[in-house]
Amino acid sequence: MIVQAALNGFGVDTMAAWAAFGKIDSLFWMINSAFGIAATTFVGQNFGAGKMDRVRKGTRECLGMALVTAILLSVILMSAGRFLFGIFTTDANVVEIGLSMMQIISPTYFLFVFIEVYSGALRAQGHVIVTTAMTMIGICVLRVVWVTWIVPDGTLSQIVACYPITWLVSAVGMIIYYHYKQKKILDYLEGKMREASEKMDYEEAASYRDYISAVKTLNETQRVTMTDGKDMDVICLLYTSPSPRDS
C-alpha cells in the first residue's frame, strides 16, 4: 500500500503502467511459486523419511531449474515488453513508463528465486518462524523504510528500485540462514550417531552414519584430473553395502 501510494503520486499514466506491468509480472510469480511449492513438498517428504541427501539434492536441483526459468523469463519479457504492454494499452506514454519499470525489476527476478526455494525448503524442515520473519522484515518492512525514509521524495526509478533492493537483502539473508541450518542438521545427526554408539545401538548409529556420509558426499566437489591430455569416456559405479536394518 505504501509503495502503491508513492507511485500514485506520479499521475494516472504511472498508475496505468503499474497495473499493466502487474499483469505481465504475474507470469513470473505463478511459475516461481510453483517451484517454491515443489521444493516444500519434496523436501518435507524426504526430511520426514530422514533422507538428507535427497533433501540437499532436491533443493539444489529445484534452485537450478528455478534460476534458469527466471533468467529466461527476464529475457523474454524484456525482449517482448513493448508488445506485451501493447496488449493492455495503446497510450505511448504509459508504455514507456511501463518499460522503464520493467527494466528495473525484471532483470532481478533471479534474486527472488533464492527466497522462494530456500524458504520453502526451510519451512519443510520445520523452520517456519524465522523464515517468515526474514521475509516480512527483509521485504515488507525494508520496502516501507526505503519509500518512507530513504527516498521520501524519490523519482519513479528510485521508488521502483525498492523491489530489487529488498529482494537482494532478503536473498542474501536466506542463503546464509539456509546453509547455517543445514550445517546444524549435520551436527545434530553426528550427535545422534555418537549417542547411539554410546548406548551400543550400533544399527541406529550405522543409520545415522549413512545419512551423514550421503550429505557430505553430496556437498563434496567431484573432480577427475587427466595427465595425458587425451579425451576419455568415464563410467562410474557406486557400490553401497546393505544397511544393518536391511538384513
Side-chain angles (χ1 to χ4, degrees):
M1 292 176 62
I2 300 296
V3 177
Q4 182 67 63
L7 291 172
N8 291 348
F10 290 96
V12 176
D13 286 353
T14 300
M15 294 168 61
W18 185 249
F21 178 62
K23 292 180 174 62
I24 299 169
D25 191 52
S26 64
L27 293 172
F28 166 73
W29 297 111
M30 287 188 293
I31 296 172
N32 194 56
S33 296
F35 280 114
I37 294 170
T40 301
T41 304
F42 183 85
V43 171
Q45 292 173 339
N46 286 280
F47 183 76
K51 298 180 179 179
M52 291 304 300
D53 55 330
R54 288 176 60 82
V55 167
R56 295 284 186 89
K57 185 177 181 181
T59 302
R60 186 177 300 175
E61 292 186 357
C62 185
L63 181 67
M65 291 187 291
L67 282 171
V68 171
T69 303
I71 293 170
L72 286 175
L73 274 174
S74 295
V75 172
I76 292 171
L77 293 183
M78 292 184 68
S79 300
R82 192 172 297 276
F83 167 77
L84 293 171
F85 276 104
I87 296 174
F88 303 103
T89 180
T90 56
D91 190 312
N93 189 45
V94 172
V95 172
E96 292 301 323
I97 295 172
L99 288 173
S100 69
M101 295 174 175
M102 179 179 283
Q103 289 168 359
I104 295 171
I105 294 177
S106 294
T108 60
Y109 281 151
F110 74 94
L111 292 173
F112 203 86
V113 168
F114 292 97
I115 302 170
E116 187 73 43
V117 174
Y118 278 157
S119 65
L122 286 165
R123 286 195 300 270
Q125 296 175 43
H127 311 302
V128 178
I129 296 177
V130 175
T131 53
T132 302
M134 289 176 66
T135 303
M136 290 181 62
I137 295 171
I139 294 180
C140 301
V141 176
L142 183 56
R143 198 168 290 172
V144 172
V145 171
W146 177 269
V147 174
T148 307
W149 286 290
I150 298 178
V151 289
D153 300 312
T155 64
L156 176 60
S157 297
Q158 290 174 328
I159 298 298
V160 174
C162 73
Y163 285 87
I165 289 172
T166 53
W167 294 345
L168 175 61
V169 173
S170 299
V172 170
M174 198 67 71
I175 291 169
I176 293 172
Y177 183 66
Y178 173 80
H179 288 287
Y180 165 75
K181 291 306 295 185
Q182 300 317 298
K183 185 179 183 304
K184 293 290 286 184
I185 290 172
L186 191 60
D187 292 342
Y188 168 78
L189 291 175
E190 290 175 343
K192 296 295 287 185
M193 181 182 68
R194 286 193 296 270
E195 288 180 12
S197 297
E198 290 171 0
K199 294 177 181 177
M200 297 186 180
D201 189 347
Y202 298 117
E203 289 188 4
E204 184 175 358
S207 177
Y208 284 117
R209 179 204 61 203
D210 293 341
Y211 293 155
I212 294 167
S213 175
V215 172
K216 287 183 176 179
T217 300
L218 187 64
N219 288 335
E220 291 175 354
T221 301
Q222 303 299 314
R223 180 178 299 172
V224 178
T225 303
M226 312 304 297
T227 57
D228 56 8
K230 296 180 181 179
D231 292 337
M232 182 177 296
D233 294 327
V234 178
I235 299 176
C236 298
L237 298 176
L238 172 66
Y239 172 75
T240 303
S241 59
S243 168
R245 294 180 179 275
D246 299 330
S247 59

